[in-house]
Structure formats: structure tokens, C-alpha cells
Amino acid sequence: MSEKGSLIVISGFSGAGKGTVVKGLVSKYGYSLSVSATTRAPRPGEENGREYYFKTVDEFRNLIDYNGFIEWAQYVENYYGTPRKFVEDEMKQGRDVILEIEVQGAMNIKKQYPDATLIFISTKDIPTLKERLLGRGSETEEVIDKRIRRALEEADSMDEYEYIVVNDDLSTCIDTVHSVILSGKCKKEHKTEFMKGIKSELTEYASK
Ligand code: ADP
Ligand code: 5GP
């Protein structure tokens, strides 16, 4: 019997390298990546349907009303949500789906999908975080300062995650996250159906 795919939630401080690590996981290990919907304006270089589905507030609210999201959250002054159909279809086909989402959304997913693997990505220290945010060059120093201050709140939620991975060397981090996902799949809590099947095969064998 083919197994259903699982959800992998990746969160972390802005600038820790989540986006970069997730791209690596998709290209090196073939994970499926959910593209979220958002009401925020596209940044230069972002394309509708690639980084996000860009929606108006009315369109977004309509999707909420039609149960179009498996989770959604307000982050700073914008809405972000994970489209239901793509995720459910991929999982049915046995594919593991990565959600790169913030902490409230991650907690919501954990409630609905107890088998989801929750991973938090951090830099090794805060000077490195600041260096990466500056190096990315997509925010002003003022916004960077706000994001680092917000990281203090996010750090309080780190304890809710099952795995904390430090993104120091990029390729080591990608491989570590992949290993964490594989080991998460072997937890006995995720194997109840499998154990039942094996026991019933053995019972059948022994009865002959
Ligand atoms: P996030 O999605 O967490 O906000 P990004 O993936 O945009 O972060 O990464 C922030 C910046 O840090 C980018 O310029 C990226 O190229 C760089 N970066 C990511 N991972 C590493 C790493 N392991 N070593 C050095 N630079 C990195
Ligand atoms: P940004 O505006 O920098 O692209 O994203 C801001 C935050 O929203 C990031 O922490 C990102 O992970 C999170 N995010 C992106 N998509 C979703 C989503 O579908 N749901 C939730 N809850 N958060 C999301």
C-alpha cells in the first residue's frame, strides 16, 4: 500500500535562510512546495504563482469563506494562507509537501495534522542574522531592525517545534533538514497502520 505524503512545516527568523534552504530541498530532494496566497504587494522580481499568489483583501476573504485554505494568518499588516486543494492533492498522491510559514500558521497545522514535522531554522547567532538581512539587500535598515526585534517573539515559540536546525553551511543544512524529515517518518507514532498491517500478516501466517 502506498503511504500518504506528509506535511513539513519550515519556520524561522526572517533572514535565517528558510527560502534558500527550501529551494535546495526542492531541487536536491524533489519535495513539493506549497505556494501561498498573500495580500502583500509583490517585491521586485516576484511573480504571481511562483513566489506567491497575489490577492486583493476581498479575494483573500472570499477564499477564507469558501474553505480554500488549510490555514491562514495575519502577519504584520498582511494576510497569508496555504491553499487547500494543492496540498491535499499532493498528499493523496504520496508526495511530501513543504509549507514555509510563520509561527501561528505552524501551530494551526500541528493541531489539524498531528503527523506534520515542524522544523525551525535559525542562524548560529544574531550578528549572522543581521549580516544576512543586510546582504540580501531587500529591506531598509529600519525594516531589518523591526524584523530582528520581532525575532525575539518568534524565539519564544521555538520550543513548540520538534526540530531546531542551524543554517550555517548551506549544503549541510539542506542535508540535515532532509535527514530530520526522514527520521520523523520513522517515529512509531506515524507507523500505527504499518504495525497493524504487519501484525495481521503474521497472525494470518501463524494460523496456517
Ligand atoms: P529567509 O527566507 O529566512 O528570510 P533567505 O533565504 O532570503 O532567508 O536568506 C537570507 C539571505 O541569507 C540571502 O541573501 C541568502 O542568500 C543568504 N543565505 C541563506 N543561507 C545562507 C548560508 N547558509 N550561508 C550564507 N548565506 C546564506
Ligand atoms: P514575506 O512577506 O517576508 O514573504 O513573509 C512573511 C512571513 O509570512 C514569513 O514568515 C513567511 O514564512 C510567512 N508565510 C508565507 N506564507 C504563509 C502562509 O501561507 N501562511 C502563514 N501562516 N504564513 C506564511
Side-chain angles (χ1 to χ4, degrees), residues 6 16 39 114 133 137:
S6 55
T39 58
L133 281 166

Side-chain angles (χ1 to χ4, degrees), residues 7-172:
L7 286 183
I8 297 128
V9 174
I10 300 206
S11 307
F13 309 130
S14 180
K18 303 177 294 289
T20 310
V21 169
V22 162
K23 264 193 210 138
L25 286 164
V26 170
S27 66
K28 187 163 178 191
Y29 293 109
Y31 288 98
S32 172
L33 174 64
S34 162
V35 176
S36 296
T38 183
T39 58
R40 87 148 161 72
R43 293 183 185 135
E46 285 184 336
E47 254 178 47
N48 190 35
R50 193 180 62 192
E51 279 78 15
Y52 284 104
Y53 295 104
F54 295 100
K55 303 283 179 196
T56 63
V57 173
D58 279 350
E59 285 168 340
F60 196 97
R61 289 205 178 119
N62 219 19
L63 283 163
I64 296 174
D65 291 344
Y66 284 96
N67 199 23
F69 296 122
I70 55 170
E71 67 72 37
W72 62 272
Q74 198 171 358
Y75 178 88
V76 194
E77 63 265 27
N78 294 301
Y79 292 113
Y80 295 84
T82 303
R84 178 179 299 281
K85 190 172 183 326
F86 174 81
V87 169
E88 289 182 348
D89 287 352
E90 289 292 282
M91 287 170 75
K92 260 186 227 145
Q93 310 238 2
R95 283 195 276 274
D96 295 331
V97 186
I98 296 183
L99 313 181
E100 191 209 312
I101 60 179
E102 52 69 66
V103 169
Q104 306 163 66
M107 297 305 116
N108 191 341
I109 291 293
K110 187 71 190 166
K111 269 191 222 133
Q112 296 179 69
Y113 301 86
D115 286 355
T117 303
L118 268 66
I119 303 170
F120 195 95
I121 308 263
S122 176
T123 44
K124 67 176 191 297
D125 53 27
I126 299 309
T128 308
L129 185 67
K130 185 157 189 195
E131 208 174 278
R132 286 195 189 158
L133 281 166
L134 286 168
R136 186 165 68 184
S138 56
E139 287 93 12
T140 60
E141 278 225 40
E142 192 195 335
V143 172
I144 289 174
D145 181 65
K146 276 195 191 143
R147 287 192 175 219
I148 295 175
R149 284 172 198 279
R150 193 185 167 90
L152 179 59
E153 285 166 42
E154 290 165 344
D156 280 337
S157 302
M158 280 168 91
D159 198 37
E160 306 286 341
Y161 287 72
E162 294 165 276
Y163 301 97
I164 312 290
V165 180
V166 173
N167 176 20
D168 194 4
D169 173 67
L170 179 61
S171 119
T172 307

